[in-house]
Amino acid sequence: MSDRLKSGALRASSILLLLLLWWAGAQLTGDPDILPGPLAIGRTIWADLSTNGPQGESAFFDIGITLARIFIAFIASMLLGTAIGLAMGLNRVFERSLLAVIPWMLTMPTILMVFLAVMWFGYSEAGGLIAVMAVVTPYVAVNIFEGAKAMDKSLVEMAVTFRARRPLLIRKVFLPQLMPYLFSAFRYAFGMTWKIVALAETFGLKYGIGYMFFFWFGQFNMDQVLAWIVMFVVLMLILEHGVFARLEHRAFIWRASIAK
Amino acid sequence: MAHVMLRQAAGPGERSSTAVIVDKLTKKFSVPGGESQFTVLDSMSLSVDEGKFVSIVGPSGCGKSTLLNVVAGIETYDGGLVTLAQKTAAPPRIGYVFQSPRLLNWLTVEDNIHFVLEAQNVPRERWRGLVAKHLDMVGLAGQEKNYPLNLSGGMQQRVAIARALAIEPDILLMDEPFSHLDAITARKLRFDIADILARAKPTILFVTHDLAEAVFLSDRIYMMTTKPARIFKQVPVDMPRPRKPEDSAIFDLEKTLVREFFSVVEAKA
């Protein structure tokens, strides 16, 4: 069996085991109001996706809203964080002043940030966006800053000796060295973003997965609460492994090709 | 603060011209955190005739690399004048081989060479031919698509040499290019480089602390001492090529130079 097949089989069987445990737990409690089984949840998800819910839209609408919020907040904080990180790497005044502030921002509990944003900006899209950016941007900036500091100066010197101009230098010398830091920032930023967006949707925003979750929580509908949780987790797993892992693999293809 | 200058080269009628002239070069570094400066290079003079192989031998820390960087135009200097001969409308091309290969590990061997070809504005249609020719020259034909980290240290340094030669440099600067390699690999590469350079024929300024290497490869040797760095002797090496390192004439010259070198350097220490 190939390694790929083996790890695929292993992954499938552990998911199967989890479903089995869930099913056994549901059987043991015997009360669908406390722990509905996986089959019941599957049926609920199907119904949510194929018919219009209490807001007059199917689940796809809320999923779309949540995805849009995640991507806008994610891209905004990545861009700003990268810009700040590079500025810190290139300029000592930036470095000193921001390194004094960033630990404060990183220590701030996420949930308090969400509350603060809601209090300042109300139940608006801006509130959610600001909450995400306040939490994620400092982390991205620190990561990119580390990458800029770790840049191999001897390679930059080589490039300058051979008269490489700035665009070529950035493309072939700077960016590839920054890549591992960018990706690690990427992963963390994405993970934080969807958690905060879900939180903001739960507490304040209209529509979205978190909003629906809270709606059904209010009705004390365990079936629906679990169905929305499962939808959310599956969606994020698909994005994480289907999209980011693939991008990362492509960016580091040169590493994979090196003989062990 | 002066920069390396260009000067019109001798006309085609003349038999030889001087590719590099370093005239009373002085370079100072300021001590970090202090007002004081220390002199790295003190009124240093040397010249390299076109197509010749000139070595500078000196103890480590004597400012040899600084001299190469001044000639390469990536460092300024404080006194004297450094000029390079300009033969065409374009400034002379400078190739550089460093102590370590300094390859871009995320690029294939051929893309590493493409990098400098792009930097030097070599037309794209010439790339393929230049890569093939110079990889072949250093004995790495067929490694175009391989990645540097798959190659041994000696092979990586060969790629670095191919990279420097691929831009068809007028002047090739080499900074102890064999010092990071094991003795056997270095010996093999030294042999090959003599042969490669006999074909490519750039002007070479070569820095080393290894007198045997210098005698084997050079047309002329400048011997340097440190604190402050200055040249205390220049020696022409008029032996026919190809040379053999075991040749008694080479061996004798090396012995004489080693004796002289250490009598000067150790007297300072």
Side-chain angles (χ1 to χ4, degrees):
Chain A
M1 226 190 319
S2 77
D3 276 357
R4 232 186 121 146
L5 218 66
K6 231 188 244 173
S7 78
L10 202 66
R11 218 181 283 175
S13 49
S14 49
I15 290 173
L16 213 67
L17 186 70
L18 187 73
L19 286 172
L20 216 69
L21 279 173
W22 180 5
W23 176 81
Q27 292 297 310
L28 278 176
T29 45
D31 183 354
D33 284 339
I34 293 174
L35 186 59
L39 276 175
I41 297 302
R43 272 196 295 272
T44 309
I45 291 175
W46 177 252
D48 283 343
L49 288 171
S50 53
T51 58
N52 287 345
Q55 307 292 329
E57 305 276 0
S58 81
F60 283 114
F61 174 77
D62 292 290
I63 291 173
I65 295 263
T66 300
L67 280 181
R69 282 176 182 147
I70 289 174
F71 277 108
I72 289 169
F74 170 68
I75 287 166
S77 21
M78 273 308 282
L79 286 178
L80 186 62
T82 306
I84 294 175
L86 286 178
M88 286 166 71
L90 296 173
N91 183 308
R92 287 191 68 81
V93 178
F94 267 115
E95 178 186 340
R96 294 231 180 107
S97 46
L98 283 167
L99 277 184
V101 177
I102 281 178
W104 291 78
M105 316 238 353
L106 290 177
T107 323
M108 183 82 169
T110 308
I111 192 155
L112 296 187
M113 209 60 238
V114 175
F115 277 124
L116 264 183
V118 168
M119 289 178 80
W120 279 331
F121 300 95
Y123 297 105
S124 69
E125 295 295 332
L129 183 64
I130 300 282
V132 171
M133 289 182 73
V135 174
V136 176
T137 306
Y139 182 85
V140 174
V142 167
N143 238 293
I144 300 300
F145 165 66
E146 297 282 339
K149 282 274 135 176
M151 202 72 72
D152 186 343
K153 290 193 182 60
S154 79
L155 292 179
V156 178
E157 198 182 284
M158 179 281 291
V160 171
T161 308
F162 279 102
R163 306 274 184 271
R165 280 164 306 275
R166 199 147 265 260
L168 183 66
L169 192 69
I170 290 172
R171 210 152 38 85
K172 297 285 167 81
V173 183
F174 283 168
L175 267 184
Q177 291 190 73
L178 219 51
M179 257 334 173
Y181 297 89
L182 263 173
F183 266 104
S184 112
F186 228 62
R187 289 201 153 215
Y188 175 87
F190 185 70
M192 280 312 286
T193 303
W194 64 253
K195 286 186 185 99
I196 300 167
V197 166
L199 209 60
E201 284 179 345
T202 306
F203 285 119
L205 299 179
K206 183 108 172 122
Y207 304 120
I209 298 178
Y211 172 81
M212 288 308 290
F213 171 82
F214 197 64
F215 173 83
W216 290 117
F217 173 77
Q219 317 274 317
F220 220 76
N221 186 329
M222 188 52 91
D223 245 19
Q224 286 286 7
V225 165
L226 280 178
W228 283 92
I229 289 178
V230 170
M231 274 193 267
F232 194 72
V233 169
V234 168
L235 188 66
M236 292 311 128
L237 280 178
I238 289 172
L239 282 174
E240 175 80 39
H241 291 274
V243 182
F244 288 127
R246 241 160 254 240
L247 278 177
E248 195 162 359
H249 177 73
R250 280 193 47 174
F252 294 115
I253 218 148
W254 65 275
R255 275 195 194 159
S257 75
I258 287 156
K260 306 270 165 6
Chain B
M1 288 253 203
H3 223 267
V4 61
M5 309 275 239
L6 301 178
R7 122 189 78 76
Q8 236 26 66
E14 292 176 48
R15 268 186 35 241
S16 74
S17 68
T18 315
V20 182
I21 299 176
V22 176
D23 186 29
K24 301 196 184 70
L25 167 65
T26 299
K27 167 84 185 170
K28 292 172 179 154
F29 276 135
S30 41
V31 182
E35 293 291 292
S36 67
Q37 289 189 318
F38 76 97
T39 308
V40 199
L41 298 168
D42 185 18
S43 191
M44 182 174 179
S45 297
L46 62 87
S47 66
V48 188
D49 285 345
E50 207 179 306
K52 293 294 180 191
F53 193 122
V54 169
S55 290
I56 299 164
V57 184
S60 36
C62 75
K64 296 171 299 197
S65 303
T66 307
L67 171 70
L68 286 194
N69 288 342
V70 167
V71 174
I74 56 173
E75 265 185 62
T76 57
Y77 50 92
D78 303 289
L81 185 63
V82 178
T83 56
L84 306 181
Q86 181 171 16
K87 287 182 291 184
T88 59
R93 285 179 194 269
I94 296 177
Y96 207 127
V97 180
F98 303 89
Q99 266 182 52
S100 55
R102 299 201 190 181
L103 299 174
L104 304 171
N105 289 332
W106 41 91
L107 299 181
T108 58
V109 165
E110 71 178 351
D111 282 342
N112 265 282
I113 299 176
H114 292 164
F115 175 77
V116 295
L117 293 177
E118 187 172 345
Q120 300 267 335
N121 295 324
V122 176
R124 217 165 262 262
E125 60 272 16
R126 293 196 58 213
W127 289 10
R128 222 185 136 88
L130 286 169
V131 168
K133 176 182 167 190
H134 292 97
L135 280 183
D136 186 53
M137 219 181 236
V138 299
L140 288 178
Q143 297 287 353
E144 283 85 351
K145 306 280 181 207
N146 210 343
Y147 283 92
L149 293 182
N150 280 335
L151 304 175
S152 68
M155 285 160 93
Q156 288 182 26
Q157 195 62 330
R158 282 169 191 268
V159 175
I161 292 167
R163 174 178 67 186
L165 290 174
I167 62 169
E168 301 184 314
D170 300 294
I171 299 163
L172 179 61
L173 305 174
M174 301 179 97
D175 187 3
E176 306 197 17
F178 310 125
S179 64
H180 273 34
L181 304 173
D182 64 88
I184 295 169
T185 312
R187 182 185 149 91
K188 172 88 173 74
L189 201 48
R190 221 173 275 135
F191 262 119
D192 289 355
I193 201 83
D195 183 46
I196 290 164
L197 297 176
R199 282 189 283 159
K201 270 277 168 216
T203 303
I204 297 155
L205 193 51
F206 184 93
V207 153
T208 181
H209 56 247
D210 181 343
L211 265 166
E213 182 172 282
V215 172
F216 175 63
L217 291 169
S218 312
D219 297 307
R220 182 195 293 265
I221 299 172
Y222 288 94
M223 299 212 285
M224 275 179 84
T225 175
T226 175
K227 283 173 203 160
R230 59 160 56 99
I231 290 167
F232 66 88
K233 187 180 175 70
Q234 56 167 305
V235 192
V237 186
D238 294 322
M239 274 169 280
R241 293 170 190 271
R243 298 172 184 165
K244 288 197 184 77
E246 299 83 5
D247 194 330
S248 61
I250 287 193
F251 204 59
D252 289 344
L253 179 58
E254 184 202 331
K255 257 196 311 198
T256 322
L257 294 181
V258 166
R259 209 173 299 133
E260 202 164 339
F261 183 72
F262 283 106
S263 73
V264 172
V265 173
E266 274 165 9
K268 288 222 159 202

